[in-house]
Amino acid sequence: SPAMSSAMTALVPCTNCGRTFAGDRVGRHEAACRGMKVRKRFNVRKQRLDALDPADKMLLQRAKKGASKAREPPPKPQSNWRQAHQEFMRICRYARRAAAQEQGPTRGARGGGRRP
């Protein structure tokens, strides 16, 4: 909408923190923002490393050095799915033939079996 795009272009940055506000609101924000000091960004990684034992820190540093080297992925294991499938199909066919022999001849035009 045109009203929204014109409001977006009228944003003014705060002189203290750099956040942007509408022209009529920036003065009020700056008054509240003056008393606040700018904090540096909190580093979670550094805090977690400081909590570790020196031996654990050394292990992490070694792991980091090793991870930076380009490693090739491990080779994929050979898949024999096709052989397993063919074996399964052979067993199914054998079972069907065995079941058909146990039942005896079938009725129908193709079967040519006895009629009751």
Side-chain angles (χ1 to χ4, degrees):
S1 69
M4 189 174 212
S5 63
S6 65
M8 293 281 220
T9 57
L11 296 178
V12 179
C14 170
T15 56
N16 189 31
C17 67
R19 290 175 55 194
T20 55
F21 295 89
D24 62 333
R25 305 305 302 162
V26 74
R28 183 176 176 113
H29 168 77
E30 284 179 343
C33 190
R34 274 191 202 111
M36 303 172 106
K37 63 179 183 177
V38 179
R39 298 188 320 177
K40 65 179 185 177
R41 188 172 184 167
F42 183 71
N43 188 348
V44 175
R45 185 167 195 259
K46 183 178 181 299
Q47 183 187 20
R48 288 186 179 174
L49 286 177
D50 288 344
L52 290 176
D53 293 333
D56 291 336
K57 283 184 187 178
M58 202 164 71
L59 287 174
L60 280 175
Q61 289 172 350
R62 284 185 192 163
K64 187 177 177 182
K65 285 181 184 176
S68 64
K69 295 178 184 176
R71 294 184 189 174
E72 58 186 58
K76 292 183 180 178
Q78 285 284 338
S79 174
N80 62 346
W81 66 268
R82 185 166 290 153
Q83 292 170 343
H85 172 71
Q86 289 171 346
E87 179 70 15
F88 175 72
M89 294 303 293
R90 188 181 63 74
I91 290 170
C92 288
R93 286 185 196 113
Y94 178 78
R96 256 189 257 131
R97 280 191 218 121
Q101 287 177 356
E102 283 181 7
Q103 285 182 349
T106 59
R107 288 180 21 171
R110 290 189 195 168
R114 291 184 274 146
R115 295 185 184 204

